[in-house]
């Protein structure tokens, strides 16, 4: 099974969603990038792929935020 790992990283003044080292989209707000990444990962998971969302923390390290099949999608997840 393919793993789609969506990563939210700082890109200058913006937040970028990356998948397999390619930038998919950029957003002005981290919250908006998280929401879009989770929605993309949800679609990927529903298509049969393993999918997760990770975001860059204040220390620059990636931390897991959401995993298809384990975490529910909610507005609480998006507000992190």
């Amino acid at each position: 099974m393919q793993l789609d790992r969506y990563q939210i990283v700082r890109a200058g003044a913006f937040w970028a969603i990356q998948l397999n080292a390619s930038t998919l989209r950029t957003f002005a707000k981290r919250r908006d990038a998280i929401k879009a990444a989770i929605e993309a990962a949800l679609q990927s998971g529903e298509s049969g792929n393993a999918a997760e969302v990770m975001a860059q923390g204040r220390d620059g390290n990636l931390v897991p935020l959401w995993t298809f099949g384990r975490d529910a999608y909610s507005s609480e997840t998006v507000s992190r």
Side-chain angles (χ1 to χ4, degrees):
M1 180 184 301
Q2 176 180 324
L3 171 62
D4 291 336
R5 180 174 288 141
Y6 295 85
Q7 298 178 339
I8 300 163
V9 297
R10 202 69 169 140
F14 299 95
W15 290 94
I17 300 173
Q18 295 181 340
L19 176 64
N20 301 326
S22 295
T23 299
L24 301 179
R25 291 177 66 188
T26 58
F27 295 84
K29 295 182 181 179
R30 183 177 189 262
R31 178 182 58 221
D32 294 338
I34 291 170
K35 181 180 180 203
I38 291 173
E39 289 171 352
L42 180 65
Q43 285 184 334
S44 181
E46 289 174 343
S47 296
N49 297 326
E52 67 182 5
V53 176
M54 300 183 80
Q56 193 173 39
R58 292 179 193 259
D59 62 1
N61 292 320
L62 291 170
V63 294
L65 291 182
W66 188 88
T67 302
F68 179 79
R70 188 185 73 194
D71 300 310
Y73 175 79
S74 70
S75 58
E76 199 173 296
T77 304
V78 173
S79 66
R80 291 186 190 182

